[in-house]
Amino acid sequence: MIDLHGFGAQLLAGTMVTLQLALAALIVGLILGLLGATAKLSDLAPVRLLGNGYSTLVRGLPEFLVVLTFYFGATDILMAIASQFGYDDYIEVSAFAAGTTALGFIFGAYASELFRGAIIAIPPGQAEAARALGMNRRQTFTRITLPQVWRIALPGLGNLFMILMKDTALVSVVGLEELMRVTAFAVGRSKEPFTFYLTAAVIYLVLTSIASYGLRRLEKRASLGVRELSS
Amino acid sequence: MSFQTYLDMLPLLGQGALLTIQLLLLSAVAGLILAVPLALARVSRSWWINLFPRTYIFFFRGTPLLVQLFLVYYGLGQFEAVRESFAWPVLRDAYWCAVITFSLHTAAYISEILRGAIQAVPVGEIEAARAIGMRPRQVYARIILPRAFRMALPAYGNEIILMLKASALASTITLLDLTGMAKTISAKNYMPVETFITAGAFYLVITYVLTHVIRYLEKHLHPDRKEPVVIVG
């Protein structure tokens, strides 16, 4: 067994922070993705432009650059907004909050394309039928469209989540005590970089493997009652 | 922020962009060269030939690029044998570490793309090649690989653009690529948001150019493909 020089517990704690970061960013990303998709499908041209601009821009930029911008810029941006409301004190943004927003922002840009594709893949007749039955717009969306959007978008969302899990490592550079940063700390103490970075790699492998197993289960569940194409 | 500040950062960011492009081209070519044998081994039916590419791909796709980069740059120095070997001058250099890691990383993804393309070559063409007496090696060199490369090109283009964005991590091992340069500049002018956004614009321009180069290649490799007919009424 490899000698972790007593850093095992800290690595575990770092892994927990990594997981929290990934899940928090997932929630932010899903919300932004749905908002982005609705914006893209809006009747209003400026709203459409906003939605398309968001995903085109963010998808064209390196994830690392986005994380850096959010981390160094969050304070500036928030303070600029706050001063509009007459609040002039210094606002400090935690690394966790900046990391969650940055990763969620990236996830949302890709997810908005997925959601848009899924929404237009649903036959319009279904929404018309729901309306004919007397459902209002919101009911039609939450009861008819959304459950199917979920099923259609899930494989793509799964891919995005795997990428998100790995992107959490980027947040270590801006000072969050997640797996990668704890590892770097252990490396500094033990002078055994290979041992510790390899350990971190194995932990990430375990996380991504569990995630991909969970996603397969979710996909099965989301497709209950859907006939499979037999060949 | 004044116009002058932007003027001051442009040449520096341009230098960073050159390094980014260099890293990208080296790893895209090296990755493709590594990916061919990996993909060929991956389509093999015997599990022991299959085992290495499978493990390789699992590792490189399942772990963050940052971990891989640190494993190569910081990790290898842990071993006396590496530090005393002829390869140390190369492995000590952040530039080569970045090139090596990026190539190994992207090779895992490209080999999966190639595998898909190889498996998509119509069976009839392979049978026809065999029927006219080609040996297995000839079938691969003349029929399967050229076909697979053409089919894989759009996906390979995607991978190059993903790699362009991933190359920003070179800045974490002291390299002054586009992102590294932006970090350095923002530490001096105290305007991180403006500086990072300008660097972002450089990335968008590079992506735009790359997309067009790839599209040109696609057309060039399919001279017989007909353009969709546009009827102007």
Side-chain angles (χ1 to χ4, degrees):
Chain A
M1 206 43 209
I2 27 173
D3 180 15
L4 291 179
H5 299 274
F7 280 105
Q10 267 166 287
L11 287 179
L12 200 66
T15 310
M16 291 320 284
V17 177
T18 290
L19 274 176
Q20 282 165 13
L21 181 64
L23 292 177
L26 174 69
I27 294 168
V28 174
L30 286 176
I31 295 170
L32 281 176
L34 272 178
L35 284 177
T38 356
K40 283 176 188 199
L41 296 169
S42 160
D43 298 329
L44 300 166
V47 179
R48 272 205 307 272
L49 192 71
L50 195 72
N52 287 328
Y54 164 53
S55 63
T56 312
L57 272 183
V58 176
R59 290 191 301 164
L61 298 176
E63 290 76 4
F64 189 47
L65 195 70
V66 177
V67 171
L68 287 176
T69 314
F70 268 78
Y71 182 67
F72 289 111
T75 314
D76 293 2
I77 295 167
L78 270 184
M79 277 171 58
I81 296 172
S83 71
Q84 296 291 314
F85 294 98
Y87 183 86
D88 280 326
D89 278 343
Y90 185 75
I91 303 171
E92 177 139 1
V93 179
S94 76
F96 188 86
T100 306
T101 335
L103 294 179
F105 197 67
I106 297 165
F107 187 97
Y110 289 87
S112 68
E113 271 297 290
L114 282 176
F115 282 136
R116 187 186 65 90
I119 290 173
I120 54 179
I122 295 166
Q126 295 194 6
E128 285 165 19
R131 298 301 293 278
L133 281 169
M135 288 191 195
N136 60 30
R137 276 182 92 106
R138 241 196 51 202
Q139 286 173 324
T140 312
F141 189 71
T142 53
R143 295 190 192 170
I144 308 295
T145 313
L146 210 52
Q148 303 193 69
V149 164
W150 171 242
R151 185 178 73 82
I152 299 172
L154 194 57
L157 290 175
N159 276 343
L160 289 185
F161 184 64
M162 304 283 272
I163 296 172
L164 173 66
M165 288 264 257
K166 292 185 282 162
D167 279 351
T168 55
L170 304 180
V171 183
S172 68
V173 177
V174 295
L176 182 68
E177 295 280 318
E178 45 69 84
L179 177 55
M180 212 35 201
R181 193 162 174 90
V182 176
T183 309
F185 180 72
V187 166
R189 279 300 180 77
S190 65
K191 307 286 176 228
E192 287 186 8
F194 194 83
T195 319
F196 278 100
Y197 285 122
L198 193 64
T199 312
V202 172
I203 296 177
Y204 278 111
L205 270 183
V206 171
L207 291 183
T208 42
S209 306
I210 294 174
S212 80
Y213 172 76
L215 284 163
R216 267 203 304 273
R217 293 283 299 268
L218 269 183
E219 271 176 47
K220 262 207 183 128
R221 238 194 86 167
S223 304
L224 276 182
V226 176
R227 214 156 26 101
E228 262 183 52
L229 190 68
S230 53
S231 53
Chain B
M1 134 174 208
S2 71
F3 187 62
Q4 189 58 41
T5 335
Y6 280 107
L7 276 187
D8 289 342
M9 68 170 86
L10 286 183
L12 289 173
L13 287 178
Q15 260 178 49
L18 278 183
L19 180 58
T20 291
I21 293 169
Q22 232 179 66
L23 288 173
L24 177 68
L25 289 184
L26 276 175
S27 46
V29 173
L32 183 60
I33 294 170
L34 283 173
V36 175
L38 273 173
L40 288 178
R42 179 76 179 69
V43 289
S44 157
R45 281 208 193 88
S46 41
W47 69 268
W48 51 275
I49 299 182
N50 225 312
L51 189 67
F52 176 71
R54 262 179 201 279
T55 328
Y56 181 91
I57 292 165
F58 177 65
F59 179 83
F60 278 96
R61 296 208 309 175
T63 58
L65 178 59
L66 192 65
V67 178
Q68 294 159 19
L69 196 59
F70 284 4
L71 256 179
V72 173
Y73 184 60
Y74 298 116
L76 291 179
Q78 180 178 329
F79 305 106
E80 192 88 11
V82 177
R83 283 202 306 272
E84 277 161 13
S85 77
F86 67 96
W88 187 234
V90 170
L91 291 174
R92 205 175 42 191
D93 187 356
Y95 179 82
W96 289 110
C97 281
V99 171
I100 292 169
T101 318
F102 292 168
S103 309
L104 292 175
H105 178 84
T106 190
Y109 286 88
I110 300 173
S111 68
E112 278 296 272
I113 294 170
L114 281 181
R115 173 184 68 94
I118 289 173
Q119 287 174 339
V121 174
V123 188
E125 295 185 15
I126 299 168
E127 285 170 346
R130 284 203 195 122
I132 58 170
M134 285 194 198
R135 274 166 312 198
R137 249 196 55 190
Q138 289 175 317
V139 178
Y140 263 105
R142 295 188 190 168
I143 309 292
I144 300 180
L145 283 180
R147 283 285 263 142
F149 275 126
R150 279 202 283 180
M151 281 194 273
L153 195 59
Y156 179 59
N158 271 345
E159 177 53 30
I160 290 181
I161 286 165
L162 288 179
M163 210 46 229
L164 164 69
K165 298 196 293 161
S167 76
L169 290 183
S171 64
T172 60
I173 54 169
T174 72
L175 286 174
L176 288 178
D177 69 326
L178 198 38
T179 305
M181 205 55 113
K183 274 204 280 191
T184 316
I185 297 170
S186 75
K188 283 188 191 134
N189 68 7
Y190 297 110
M191 286 186 272
V193 180
E194 290 84 346
T195 314
F196 288 139
I197 287 176
T198 317
F202 271 79
Y203 277 106
L204 291 178
V205 171
I206 301 176
T207 312
Y208 182 81
V209 174
L210 276 178
T211 326
H212 280 268
V213 171
I214 295 159
R215 209 167 288 164
Y216 171 79
L217 270 181
E218 256 177 66
K219 249 192 205 157
H220 188 71
L221 289 176
H222 288 278
D224 52 332
R225 183 184 278 175
K226 288 192 188 71
E227 288 291 309
V229 184
V230 182
I231 300 166
V232 183

